[in-house]
Amino acid sequence: MNCIVIIEMGTAAVRVCAFDLSGNLISSSKGHYPTFHEQPDHSEQDPEQMFITMLYILKNLLIEKIYPKKYTVTCICFGSSMHSLLAVDKDGIPLGNAITWADNRGKKEAADLKKSSLGEEIYKATGTPIHPMSSLIKIAWMKNHEPEKFRMAKKFMPIKTYIIQQLTGACVIDYSIASATGLMNIHNLTWDEAALNFAGITPEELPDLHPVFYSDLTLKKEYQRVLKLQPTVKILIGSSDGCLATLGAGVWKNRMATITIEDSGAFRIIGDKIIEDPKQQIFNYLLTEKHIITGGPTSNGGVIFNWFAKQFGDFREAFDIDQSMEMLIEEAAGVEVGSGGLIFLPFLHGERAPIWNPNSRGCYFGVNIRHERKHFIRATIEGILFEMYSIGRTLEQHRHIESLSINGSFASIPFCTQIIADIFNKPVSTLSHADSIGKGAFLLSATEMGIYPSLEEASKTVTMHQTYLPNAKNHEVYAQYFKVFESLITKVAEEFDFISDLQQRYSQ
């Protein structure tokens, strides 16, 4: 029996899973790695630790779960989070840690570029909003603040390219990851000259561009031996987590959008045309040359509730974050809609869409003497979902959307899914599979292998599990609180800048 192995390099963990050729999940395993925040705006990860963790999880899955069931691996496909950047020297050795999407160190470079006509030109060419998340801004920051490291760097690459290079020796990048760097022209599928000039680099300092179906890669012999894989195993370059999650959600060119909430989050639609936004609030990333994923990301998804659980969960017994989060959800379910008038701005990582302000910060508003811990729990969840709603409203200025699908960690929590339905006032469906990124990578692999004639046909195999209908009364309450949420963001924008500056100056 043959199977397809998917390697997902996420922000906090690597997940490796295997599907049979009918799309049934055989087994999966996950391994975590830390993120370092030496300063409030910095987020870095050790690329060697990420690679070793990936290799350990992959090997264990194959040896313990796949080979004993008599499966033969025919294809390995990669997915990864977007916007990471790693500088390597002439020998391919990392010059420090990888910088993640959550890093805001380049906010001055981003602000200056965004004010200029060049910023608008680059946004139109690349589809990537001007923000510190992008490789474009990270490289520009390195050029200005770490000139020696910038001079020593011979290649700038995302973490996915580094992992593939370690396994195969090839320095390659797929269109979907490249179109999220702010350096690729999504109209002519080349590195953009204006963006490269701004960053101060040449095309030779970036990986080679390839479509997501590119598979002209061969696993190094030492890894063929260690992993007990045949040299004929197809190595598929794959796509980004966002594009794969959209494909795996089955929202193919209809009036449906998908919400993903993992550590970060996003609201996405798929189409065959780039949606131009004069306000530069949305992205356009390529799944393929003909399929555009348009949407908006939040930097403050599940990672914020995870933060709350770690800080305020009940850990009197053995530490168990999952159990603590379940207890918090149960407590929040006993609070009325709107958390008794307590509103949470969830911007602990700054924020991307739709405000694109790296200086924004978290805030509880409306606290009164009757508020208890349970109100703060529910307000935290509602704040995360209000932010998702604000992104959805931005997308609805360009596309009529009738219903939603949800995937990621919040999809498994009925309490959260019902709140989404009530806030959006739309039906929300969960998927019949838990991992839409892995499912999307399987559909991509199966299409490349000829099992499906096209991605569109492949997406038709995605099925929904349960649909949550909106409660009109709850929506009316949420609509009133959302007006306050939206108004607060505008009114404290100046204070966001002040407090961010103070945190930078006085934080250890």
Side-chain angles (χ1 to χ4, degrees), residues 341-347 355 357 359-367 379 383 386-387 390 480-497:
L342 185 62
I343 293 173
F344 176 54
L345 305 186
F347 309 134
I355 61 175
N357 182 359
N359 286 334
S360 57
R361 292 293 185 265
C363 172
Y364 288 96
F365 179 78
V367 184
F386 273 149
E387 171 58 13
S390 68
Q480 295 176 64
Y481 281 125
F482 180 74
K483 285 184 179 178
V484 182
F485 177 90
E486 203 170 33
S487 176
L488 277 174
I489 296 170
T490 304
K491 289 181 177 177
V492 299
E494 193 172 342
E495 283 70 23
F496 280 154
D497 293 339

Side-chain angles (χ1 to χ4, degrees), residues 34-326:
T35 301
F36 311 110
H37 306 283
E38 290 191 357
Q39 296 184 40
D41 279 332
H42 288 205
S43 294
E44 298 183 355
Q45 294 177 319
D46 182 345
E48 293 295 336
Q49 190 174 22
M50 297 175 79
F51 177 72
I52 291 170
T53 302
M54 181 280 300
L55 202 59
Y56 175 80
I57 297 298
L58 173 61
K59 182 180 178 182
N60 281 0
L61 184 83
L62 294 175
I63 302 299
E64 297 179 2
K65 304 288 181 62
I66 302 304
Y67 296 151
K69 296 178 181 178
K70 308 298 181 187
Y71 279 100
T72 298
V73 178
T74 57
C75 177
I76 296 176
C77 178
F78 293 87
S80 170
S81 55
M82 294 175 275
H83 314 302
S84 61
L85 181 79
L86 178 65
V88 302
D89 68 12
K90 59 182 176 56
D91 298 316
I93 306 299
L95 297 167
N97 286 330
I99 307 172
T100 79
W101 58 266
D103 193 286
N104 285 320
R105 71 185 66 185
K107 56 189 178 185
K108 182 179 184 307
E109 283 76 9
D112 291 345
L113 178 60
K114 194 168 185 177
K115 292 175 187 173
S116 69
S117 58
L118 177 61
E120 183 179 359
E121 177 189 343
I122 290 176
Y123 171 71
K124 287 181 178 178
T126 66
T128 305
I130 305 299
H131 185 270
M133 71 175 183
S134 71
S135 302
L136 167 72
I137 299 299
K138 291 182 173 84
I139 295 171
W141 181 90
M142 193 181 298
K143 179 181 64 174
N144 295 336
H145 297 273
E146 295 183 340
E148 181 62 18
K149 183 176 177 180
F150 180 78
R151 186 188 64 77
M152 292 176 63
K154 296 304 176 189
K155 287 281 187 185
F156 297 92
M157 61 180 66
I159 192 65
K160 179 179 161 182
T161 293
Y162 178 73
I163 297 296
I164 292 176
Q165 186 173 38
Q166 292 295 96
L167 289 171
T168 69
C171 185
V172 293
I173 186 171
D174 67 81
Y175 286 164
S176 69
I177 291 284
S179 62
T181 62
L183 292 159
M184 177 186 171
N185 189 309
I186 58 175
H187 304 277
N188 60 27
L189 308 180
T190 63
W191 295 119
D192 185 72
E193 185 177 353
L196 265 58
N197 287 339
F198 176 79
I201 61 174
T202 65
E204 290 71 29
E205 293 172 272
L206 294 169
D208 296 334
L209 286 162
H210 293 285
V212 294
F213 290 116
Y214 180 73
S215 62
D216 191 14
L217 299 164
T218 303
L219 207 60
K220 291 178 179 176
K221 289 185 178 177
E222 58 262 41
Y223 295 118
Q224 292 176 19
R225 184 174 61 256
V226 168
L227 300 170
K228 302 184 186 302
L229 291 167
Q230 296 298 314
T232 54
V233 171
K234 185 187 293 291
I235 307 296
L236 185 61
I237 191 170
S239 182
S240 67
D241 55 358
C243 289
L244 291 173
T246 309
L247 175 63
V251 292
W252 196 264
K253 294 184 186 178
N254 53 30
R255 293 180 175 182
M256 198 171 184
T258 187
I259 291 175
T260 302
I261 302 178
E262 289 286 2
D263 288 331
S264 59
F267 188 101
R268 305 185 189 92
I269 55 178
I270 187 169
D272 54 11
K273 294 181 180 177
I274 294 168
I275 297 177
E276 295 189 359
D277 177 21
K279 296 180 181 178
Q280 302 184 32
Q281 292 179 313
I282 59 176
F283 61 69
N284 286 284
Y285 299 150
L286 304 183
L287 171 57
T288 73
E289 298 89 319
K290 297 179 180 178
H291 301 110
I292 315 297
I293 307 295
T294 302
T298 174
S299 300
N300 301 286
V303 68
I304 302 305
F305 192 63
N306 194 295
W307 162 82
F308 185 95
K310 286 180 179 176
Q311 303 305 319
F312 306 110
D314 187 349
F315 295 125
R316 284 173 294 185
E317 298 181 356
F319 179 86
D320 187 331
I321 185 67
D322 292 334
Q323 184 180 23
S324 178
M325 291 176 73
E326 287 180 15

Side-chain angles (χ1 to χ4, degrees), residues 373-390:
R373 186 178 80 149
K374 61 184 180 182
H375 295 95
F376 284 84
I377 301 169
R378 180 157 187 146
T380 302
I381 296 169
E382 290 177 342
I384 294 167
L385 300 179
F386 273 149
E387 171 58 13
M388 195 61 70
Y389 182 50
S390 68

Side-chain angles (χ1 to χ4, degrees), residues 411-430:
S412 62
I413 307 172
F415 171 71
C416 295
T417 307
Q418 185 60 56
I419 293 178
I420 294 172
D422 293 345
I423 290 177
F424 278 83
N425 200 28
K426 298 182 191 298
V428 179
S429 298
T430 57

